[in-house]
Amino acid sequence: MDMLNKLNIYQIEKRAYINGEYVDASDGKVISKTLSFDGREFSGIAACSKEDVDKAVASAKAVYESGVWSKKTPSERKEILLKLADLMEEHLEELALLDTFETGRAYINYSRDSLPKAIEAVRYFAEAVDKLYDESIPVRGTDTAVIKKVPLGVVGLITPWNDPMVVTAWKFAPALLMGNAVVLKPAEQSSLSAICLGKLTKEAGIPDGVFNVVPGYGEEAGKELALHKDVRGVFFTGSAEIGKKIMEYAGQSNMKRVALECGGKGPYIVSDKCNRIAEAAVVLAKNMFYNQGQICSAPSRAIIHKSVYDEFISVLKSESSKYIPGYSFDETNEVGCVVSREQFDKVNRYIELASEEGADVFRPTVTKDKPEGAYCISPAILENVNNDMRIAREEIFGPVLAVIKVDSMEEAISIANDSEYGLAGAVWTDDVNEAFDLTNRMDAGLVHLNSYGNDDNSSPFGGVKQSGIGKDKSVHAFDKYCDSKTIWMHF
Ligand code: NAP
């Protein structure tokens, strides 16, 4: 059975989830868009406005203040979130189909990788929350200061479309577990799985109003959430351009806490002292071209020593032919298509720009038919690139890799760090001193040595410079969703 037909067995909910109920946008507006897996038109997801955001925030605030969630013990909240993770697992197929339908990413990628990771993230945070302690400081003989973690109150989450449930789980799980009430604004390209989550939170036992979903356009629903004076923190993943706006909204309104996970232009250095050139090329191709390069931490700038360049580029070109896009619902295909026609046009403009800037563009031979009506792009490897070109500086967010040849590792690290971004990067070398030196000097939140994309919920994820402020994942993420409060006690 075509997995797309399987979607028919599920009732697709398109309304907002506010105060425990599915509701239309108050002015009846809906999102209309073209789906990228076959070019069909799709309409009907509620496009929330200020009025809907106000309602969601008001219900979140009321339930937060009632204490039915915020005053539960961490172990009580843990049990409920573990139930939610179980329910997400039961609904894994439905969630994966919804995300594939809207974003065009391969179904098996969602069902085998992305959704299991989201569920594991919820379990990780749930299991961790009742192991946290407050602090007590015996300041003087007669005085003690207690430093408590207190929830922020109502928090807004604004998320992107490229890995919808994973990024959402990284935020809603620690936020809820710390006792906050959540209003989530998913990306307009990937709202259905977030909306579906609403009913699962109810079934898991999360009280009405504690978890709300306001789908809609960023300029309207997202902006109103980030400007709202009763929202105490806004936690955003998306582009650096919008991340900067979120900071402005916080400043214009109530100085709410802001955390940002933004884009990247990941440097991938291969040294002349690397003994596994072919492996370095294979790992790069996988991390760069899966999901059509729509990965924030993709290693999109390869910086290769001239003496290993020819071997490296030859393996890379041959590997790239494994990442030809296909029909998103085909269970044998790992590469779906890009998310939208706009993304398709944007990425293709960059490939044209590469030639205009003087780069050589390699595309692997495509032997299979392009899925009918789909917006998909085969990998592009750009050679003869220098780091001043726009194709080396700007995040393309497509299967487009810039390759820069260098004479030395000194030049390599200087190029790697010459970027507005600093999310993730890699160094491939078998010289231990060089490994120590370059991994320490690389200006990024996440650096891989002789590997890429290693991932675990226990390790923080996020960038420096314009890749963001604050980190998702790990026990440190809890701190983002609470304040510290000092209580002085005199005896
Ligand atoms: P985006 O255009 O910045 O949008 C992100 C979210 O912000 C969406 O929900 C969007 O709503 C909303 N938004 C747009 N304009 C807004 C405004 N004026 N006020 C408030 N919210 C607004 O990013 P995207 O295209 O969805 O995602 C791709 C980007 O995310 C890439 O740059 C990628 O690197 C980054 N990303 C980073 C990480 C990380 O962990 N560092 C992870 C994944 C993705 P609409 O959908 O309605 O526009």
Side-chain angles (χ1 to χ4, degrees):
M1 185 189 204
D2 181 341
M3 290 309 289
L4 176 59
N5 293 333
K6 265 203 150 176
L7 194 53
N8 295 331
I9 65 176
Y10 299 107
Q11 195 200 339
I12 301 183
E13 180 57 74
K14 301 176 191 165
R15 292 173 294 172
Y17 184 72
I18 298 176
N19 204 16
E21 291 192 344
Y22 283 113
V23 290
D24 289 317
S26 44
D27 57 10
K29 279 201 189 134
V30 292
I31 295 174
S32 297
K33 58 188 180 180
T34 306
L35 297 181
S36 65
F37 74 93
D38 68 355
R40 73 175 67 184
E41 296 303 312
F42 180 70
S43 178
I45 296 175
C48 291
S49 62
K50 179 174 186 325
E51 200 177 331
D52 305 301
V53 172
D54 285 347
K55 274 188 204 153
V57 173
S59 73
K61 188 175 179 214
V63 74
Y64 175 76
E65 286 172 356
S66 78
V68 292
W69 182 252
S70 56
K71 292 200 166 52
K72 277 194 192 311
T73 64
S75 355
E76 285 169 333
R77 290 195 288 260
K78 160 185 168 167
E79 290 311 319
I80 293 173
L81 268 280
L82 286 176
K83 175 90 196 300
L84 176 62
D86 290 346
L87 287 166
M88 288 170 73
E89 193 153 30
E90 277 171 38
H91 289 259
L92 190 148
E93 180 182 271
E94 180 181 0
L95 292 166
L97 286 170
L98 292 172
D99 278 340
T100 307
F101 182 71
E102 270 195 290
T103 67
R105 181 169 174 168
Y107 171 76
I108 57 167
N109 208 269
Y110 278 122
S111 61
R112 292 184 198 168
D113 185 46
S114 182
L115 263 300
K117 274 188 185 150
I119 294 160
E120 269 319 297
V122 177
R123 290 199 174 117
Y124 170 85
F125 284 116
E127 289 292 355
V129 74
D130 58 355
K131 282 88 184 168
L132 303 176
Y133 293 89
D134 288 340
E135 294 167 53
S136 154
I137 306 174
V139 186
R140 285 183 282 274
T142 53
D143 295 80
T144 290
V146 174
I147 305 164
K148 290 168 68 72
K149 291 183 199 302
V150 291
L152 298 176
V154 180
V155 299
L157 313 181
I158 302 179
T159 51
W161 46 261
N162 68 319
D163 207 346
M165 271 298 104
V166 169
V167 172
T168 306
W170 288 352
K171 296 187 191 311
F172 80 71
L176 290 174
L177 285 158
M178 291 313 284
N180 300 285
V182 162
V183 179
L184 163 67
K185 202 306 270 177
E188 71 193 67
Q189 307 294 355
S190 61
S191 307
L192 296 176
S193 56
I195 293 173
C196 179
L197 205 55
K199 72 177 178 196
L200 305 186
T201 60
K202 190 168 189 119
E203 203 179 330
I206 293 178
D208 293 351
V210 171
F211 181 83
N212 304 274
V213 185
V214 286
Y217 294 106
E219 262 299 321
E220 192 159 9
K223 181 174 175 179
E224 292 303 336
L225 186 58
L227 278 171
H228 206 294
K229 292 208 165 131
D230 286 332
V231 172
R232 297 278 293 267
V234 62
F235 302 90
F236 167 87
T237 295
S239 61
E241 180 196 345
I242 305 297
K244 288 178 190 176
K245 287 191 184 180
I246 302 288
M247 294 179 89
E248 286 175 24
Y249 301 149
Q252 285 162 21
S253 52
N254 58 345
M255 215 194 275
K256 55 178 68 65
R257 179 174 297 180
V258 172
L260 308 170
E261 295 286 349
C262 299
K265 193 77 185 176
Y268 192 92
I269 296 179
V270 182
S271 161
D272 53 330
K273 299 191 186 71
C274 169
N275 298 333
R276 285 161 292 155
I277 300 300
E279 187 185 335
V282 170
V283 171
L284 172 60
K286 178 173 189 297
N287 284 279
M288 183 60 228
F289 298 131
Y290 95 97
N291 193 20
Q292 292 269 273
Q294 300 171 121
I295 302 289
C296 53
S297 54
S300 51
R301 274 187 308 151
I303 303 170
I304 314 298
H305 193 278
K306 63 181 180 190
S307 66
V308 296
Y309 186 90
D310 290 346
E311 181 187 353
F312 181 85
I313 204 83
S314 142
V315 180
L316 182 69
K317 285 178 179 172
S318 133
E319 281 296 304
S320 68
S321 63
K322 295 183 181 165
Y323 299 91
I324 305 299
Y327 178 53
S328 309
F329 288 93
D330 175 354
E331 284 190 279
T332 61
N333 165 50
E334 286 195 57
V335 187
C337 38
V338 294
V339 72
S340 63
R341 188 198 185 120
E342 293 72 37
Q343 191 70 8
F344 176 83
D345 290 342
K346 179 187 145 194
V347 173
N348 279 318
R349 271 200 302 279
Y350 271 109
I351 296 172
E352 283 163 23
L353 174 68
S355 302
E356 288 159 26
E357 288 190 305
D360 297 327
V361 180
F362 169 85
R363 314 294 294 269
T365 311
V366 178
T367 50
K368 61 182 176 184
D369 288 341
K370 180 173 109 49
E372 210 182 319
Y375 293 104
C376 45
I377 304 177
S378 64
I381 296 173
L382 316 179
E383 291 185 84
N384 281 326
V385 173
N386 72 57
N387 204 44
D388 295 328
M389 294 177 178
R390 281 182 58 200
I391 48 167
R393 305 203 76 79
E394 296 172 17
E395 186 189 43
I396 299 175
F397 222 52
V400 184
L401 170 68
V403 189
I404 302 172
K405 196 192 280 189
V406 291
D407 293 333
S408 68
M409 284 301 101
E410 231 13 76
E411 185 187 358
I413 193 68
S414 137
I415 287 175
N417 289 341
D418 178 16
S419 169
E420 287 178 352
Y421 294 110
L423 183 50
V427 175
W428 284 73
T429 178
D430 284 285
D431 179 305
V432 68
N433 291 313
E434 189 172 78
F436 182 84
D437 180 44
L438 296 182
T439 51
N440 277 295
R441 284 166 69 193
M442 188 174 275
D443 202 2
L446 204 64
V447 182
H448 304 274
L449 174 67
N450 297 333
S451 59
Y452 208 84
N454 288 350
D455 198 18
D456 193 85
N457 284 309
S458 57
S459 60
F461 183 92
V464 297
K465 298 193 275 185
Q466 292 188 36
S467 289
I469 304 170
K471 305 277 186 283
D472 278 329
K473 298 170 70 181
S474 87
V475 284
H476 301 292
F478 285 116
D479 290 338
K480 284 198 333 194
Y481 301 97
C482 63
D483 250 324
S484 82
K485 175 174 180 173
T486 306
I487 303 175
W488 278 96
M489 288 184 273
H490 176 68
F491 296 101

